Amino acid sequence: MAKKAPHRLYLTEEQIPTAWYNLRADMKEKPEPMLNPATGKPVSEEDLYPVFCKELAHQEMDNDTQYIEIPPEVLEMYKNYRPSPLCRAYNLEKALDTPAKIYYKFEGNNTSGSHKLNSAIPQAYYAKKQGLNGVTTETGAGQWGTALSEACCYFGLPLEVFMVKASYNQKPFRKAIMQTFGASVVASPSNTTNAGRAILADNPDNPGSLGCAISEAVERAVSGDNVKYVLGSVLNQVLLHQSIVGLESAKAMELLDEYPDVVVGCAGGGSNLGGLIAPFAKDKLQGKANPRLVAIEPASCPSLTRGRYAYDFCDTGKITPMAKMYTLGCTFTPSPIHAGGLRYHGMAPILSKLYHDGYMEAKAVVQTNVFEAATLFAKYESILPAPESAHAILGAIEEAKRCKEEGRSETILFGLTGTGFFDMLAYENYQAGNLNDYIPTDEELAVSMDRLPKIPGIQE
Amino acid sequence: MAKKAPHRLYLTEEQIPTAWYNLRADMKEKPEPMLNPATGKPVSEEDLYPVFCKELAHQEMDNDTQYIEIPPEVLEMYKNYRPSPLCRAYNLEKALDTPAKIYYKFEGNNTSGSHKLNSAIPQAYYAKKQGLNGVTTETGAGQWGTALSEACCYFGLPLEVFMVKASYNQKPFRKAIMQTFGASVVASPSNTTNAGRAILADNPDNPGSLGCAISEAVERAVSGDNVKYVLGSVLNQVLLHQSIVGLESAKAMELLDEYPDVVVGCAGGGSNLGGLIAPFAKDKLQGKANPRLVAIEPASCPSLTRGRYAYDFCDTGKITPMAKMYTLGCTFTPSPIHAGGLRYHGMAPILSKLYHDGYMEAKAVVQTNVFEAATLFAKYESILPAPESAHAILGAIEEAKRCKEEGRSETILFGLTGTGFFDMLAYENYQAGNLNDYIPTDEELAVSMDRLPKIPGIQE
């Protein structure tokens, strides 16, 4: 019998997990290994050293260790904003008149405004510990860049952020926050890298793209003086760090004698979803429980629901190793929807594998419906969600409506990844009726998917 | 012996106070009564009915009831974001190398971004309960307007916000949040009121002021169809509602076997400071403890440290009752510093009385030092503070440095009222060295203070 849940349940500081959970250890079939594009052979840990710092390269390749200790220095900074609350959406439930119980894990209560900080902190920590002179990264919507700026500032590690020029100009306040935390922010394409100069030579007014920013950041890392590159999503290491979201959620639900029938998360690169579902996917893989795991992605960038499960580059510039994942093709250009954090052509290899093997469901939604759900949620739950997070809200609301139709009192858990304070332009456009719900045609998707890399003997 | 405090201590939902504390009940000498400017006589509760809804007028005048029950409907919405955490600034302490223990009560973990929601909720609730057709208010920096929008949306009460035109244009995203919560936002001066039209006739490009926006909002309320005016600071009722900040702080410190030697808060109109210190001022008034209570105000608008304790109007338009308070004169125009929420000519009558009677100290600080403290705090505590809140941070840091000099391990508590996500322009100006630390001369202050109202027999 479930206990009466408070509106917001905070674990105590002692209950914050002290180890991350590595879902790969419990997957009988592991995600396919990354391939070196030059040789077509699986990459080794050492192959990653030029780009990633050693401990992170090790975590990236570690398919076996079930629990990995969180360093005390990382835990110390986690305690600046963790535990995050597990919330019971009593007011939303009432508004929906649903018999379902709706829980959400809210990761927006920190200055970066999202869950991204959970991985930024260990990445900055390991880089500092290795004695690096700094790290580079790219940012689009700005959540990752903000989180990493906070983490690098805390550990005293220099950071250079390549920010997509269109965002740099449209979101000056994101830039200002990163600068407040001491980061150097460069509009991409820039004339500080070969990749940037080549693009600018072709078109001085190029507004930039995430792919281009990644290329600039990686170039800087590999050519820099003891500088490495860090990334906020997709990678195995990122999902590992984000498992703290799921572990706290599972612990809090356990205290309430609750267990989710369905776990819903928004899915861009997969960092939030992979972290949220981790302990529940474990139960499912071990046959101890059978919760539904549901990814909600934008219909404008539907990698899981309409992409191919294939080897592809992680970046548009084709300089990263290739990963086996659901992908729309690394040359796919998503329409400029406002949930910038979900505009990625592929999906984390771990999640792609789980989806491919039938452990996870996926659903694509259009953004007008997403903002409608966001506005309803704000009214009843007093939190202004990020557009990315609102994809999960919509997914949860649809599950709650189904429960009402079926007369079932299911327990729904969703991930509320962040706040929308820097996305008000999107809200304004929604209110003015200026959003479009563009869905790419099969022909449009085929253009990039038909250009997936050819790998002799593996992918013809 | 104090217990080891977690970085963030959250009370349980059951520990949220169920009654507000009315400090006036414990003041042997009460704040002076408000006066009707037409008659020079004290206003009665009924005199306030044309402007305020009845329950709030009652609370405004109630000098006797010690604890006032929080209605269950208000508590239900409080639980959407309360309890707020009592934080121990371990990382800041370490950076300052101080023997002092620094605690802060963080009120920024809600969409309005500040403590303002604590009073917005009951004000919207009582208005709805009285069957009003709506409420009007003004907003400058936008925190109060945002908070009230959230509260009115939750209770289904129409809201019209007069937003100072300069802010309306400079902070479009604040406007967008209010609109997301269904509020009607009007740039002030507007052509929808006599007060606004008169100003526009004189100068169509007038950028507006808080005084003008108050005048427009009050005019709309008194001439509207069953519509009342609500205000986010200064008033007794607001300090009453904000007592929840102090009550939660005191409860959390009690659980830690702690008690503050000094309580520090930023002071504009006094809503946050009055709420934070309430239970500690009670102990002081009752002789049970003797904590220092310290108000930090901007040197550009130094009502406590350089103002006169006198009867004055609460608004620039001179249409409100007169209150006895520390004031720079209601015609004082503060320099446009960025901590917009602290640009008020007067100070809450309750706080003015406590200060006058020696129960409270006050200190004025310049904004370059404020932003320096804000940036240091962000680095170590991972929270980006509002410029208003950063006044209290600076005050606390100075106390911690004094403790270091004196070798004393005092316990410091300060109020961190909100986040600075909408104040990045100010941070950018700070980083660029573009802030000025203007301090008005005695002659400049005399201009407005010499124009305080004359009241025969009371104030000549």
Side-chain angles (χ1 to χ4, degrees), chain A residues 4-8 10-11 13-14 76-77 79-83 85 88 90-91 94 104 106 108-113 117 150 152-156 170 172-181 374-375 378-385 419 421-422 424-425 427-428 431, chain B residues 4-8 10-11 13-14 76-77 79-83 85 88 90-91 94 104 106 108-113 117 150 152-156 170 172-181 374-375 378-385 419 421-422 424-425 427-428 431:
Chain A
K4 164 84 177 167
H7 289 61
R8 273 96 181 93
Y10 290 91
L11 299 177
E13 190 169 272
E14 291 73 33
E76 180 71 13
M77 190 177 175
K79 290 174 184 171
N80 268 357
Y81 67 101
R82 305 205 71 83
R88 173 80 186 267
Y90 285 113
N91 293 307
K94 205 187 293 178
Y104 56 97
F106 180 40
N109 270 356
N110 69 75
T111 285
S112 82
L117 198 51
E150 270 191 81
C152 286
C153 181
Y154 181 90
F155 289 114
Q170 283 168 21
F173 298 152
R174 272 287 183 199
K175 178 183 59 185
I177 290 197
M178 292 185 256
Q179 288 169 339
T180 296
F181 285 103
T375 305
K379 173 176 168 111
Y380 289 103
E381 294 294 317
S382 308
I383 295 173
L384 186 84
T419 51
F421 299 123
F422 292 92
M424 293 319 299
L425 196 60
Y427 275 91
E428 280 191 324
Q431 286 157 22
Chain B
K4 162 87 178 165
H7 289 61
R8 274 96 181 94
Y10 290 92
L11 299 177
E13 190 169 272
E14 292 72 34
E76 180 70 14
M77 190 176 174
K79 291 174 185 171
N80 268 358
Y81 68 102
R82 304 205 71 82
R88 172 81 185 266
Y90 284 113
N91 292 307
K94 204 185 294 176
Y104 56 96
F106 180 41
N109 270 357
N110 69 76
T111 286
S112 80
L117 197 52
E150 270 191 81
C152 287
C153 180
Y154 181 90
F155 289 114
Q170 282 168 20
F173 298 152
R174 272 284 182 201
K175 177 182 60 187
I177 289 197
M178 292 186 255
Q179 287 169 339
T180 296
F181 286 104
T375 304
K379 173 177 170 109
Y380 290 104
E381 294 294 316
S382 308
I383 295 172
L384 187 83
T419 51
F421 299 124
F422 292 92
M424 293 319 299
L425 196 60
Y427 275 92
E428 280 192 325
Q431 286 157 21

Side-chain angles (χ1 to χ4, degrees), chain A residues 19-291:
Chain A
W20 295 298
Y21 167 61
N22 182 8
L23 183 57
R24 285 165 286 167
D26 282 299
M27 292 170 75
K28 274 166 228 99
E29 296 201 33
K30 312 294 181 191
E32 304 291 332
M34 280 195 284
L35 299 183
N36 182 325
T39 62
K41 299 273 184 286
V43 299
S44 68
E45 190 176 314
E46 290 71 20
D47 288 343
L48 297 176
Y49 288 172
V51 181
F52 298 133
C53 73
K54 289 182 183 174
E55 186 63 35
L56 292 167
H58 181 72
Q59 292 180 356
E60 190 62 30
M61 303 298 287
D62 185 345
N63 279 347
D64 305 306
T65 312
Q66 200 180 24
Y67 287 94
I68 294 175
E69 194 199 343
I70 303 174
E73 296 86 347
V74 171
L75 262 182
E76 180 71 13
M77 190 177 175
Y78 273 175
K79 290 174 184 171
N80 268 357
Y81 67 101
R82 305 205 71 83
S84 73
L86 179 76
C87 309
R88 173 80 186 267
Y90 285 113
N91 293 307
L92 181 64
E93 289 171 19
K94 205 187 293 178
L96 296 172
D97 189 26
T98 176
K101 291 185 275 189
I102 307 176
Y103 289 90
Y104 56 97
K105 180 71 167 168
F106 180 40
E107 290 289 318
N109 270 356
N110 69 75
T111 285
S112 82
S114 81
H115 66 294
K116 293 287 182 185
L117 198 51
N118 300 329
S119 184
I121 295 171
Q123 293 200 46
Y125 166 74
Y126 289 122
K128 181 73 181 179
K129 194 179 168 204
Q130 191 177 315
L132 297 186
N133 290 337
V135 290
T136 68
T137 198
E138 79 292 330
T139 201
Q143 287 186 334
W144 169 245
T146 306
L148 192 63
S149 301
E150 270 191 81
C152 286
C153 181
Y154 181 90
F155 289 114
L157 182 72
L159 166 66
E160 188 171 33
V161 180
F162 288 87
M163 186 173 188
V164 176
K165 194 179 276 177
S167 293
Y168 184 93
N169 293 328
Q170 283 168 21
K171 295 193 171 187
F173 298 152
R174 272 287 183 199
K175 178 183 59 185
I177 290 197
M178 292 185 256
Q179 288 169 339
T180 296
F181 285 103
S184 158
V185 186
V186 181
S188 167
S190 77
N191 58 16
T192 69
T193 67
N194 291 328
R197 280 188 291 268
I199 290 168
L200 289 174
D202 193 48
N203 174 11
D205 297 324
N206 187 303
S209 68
L210 209 50
C212 167
I214 294 177
S215 301
E216 288 205 277
V218 172
E219 179 185 326
R220 190 57 141 257
V222 297
S223 62
D225 181 18
N226 201 23
V227 168
K228 304 289 174 196
Y229 169 71
V230 293
L231 182 65
S233 192
V234 183
L235 298 174
N236 297 335
Q237 60 188 268
V238 176
L239 270 69
L240 172 71
H241 305 148
Q242 293 295 352
S243 69
I244 195 165
V245 177
L247 292 169
E248 280 188 7
S249 302
K251 177 76 186 168
M253 296 205 92
E254 188 189 320
L255 294 176
L256 297 169
D257 285 331
E258 287 277 25
Y259 195 88
D261 295 294
V262 50
V263 184
V264 180
C266 61
S271 71
N272 149 69
L273 183 67
L276 177 68
I277 68 170
F280 306 106
K282 176 189 178 192
D283 292 344
K284 194 158 179 158
L285 288 162
Q286 295 184 341
K288 292 184 181 164
N290 196 22

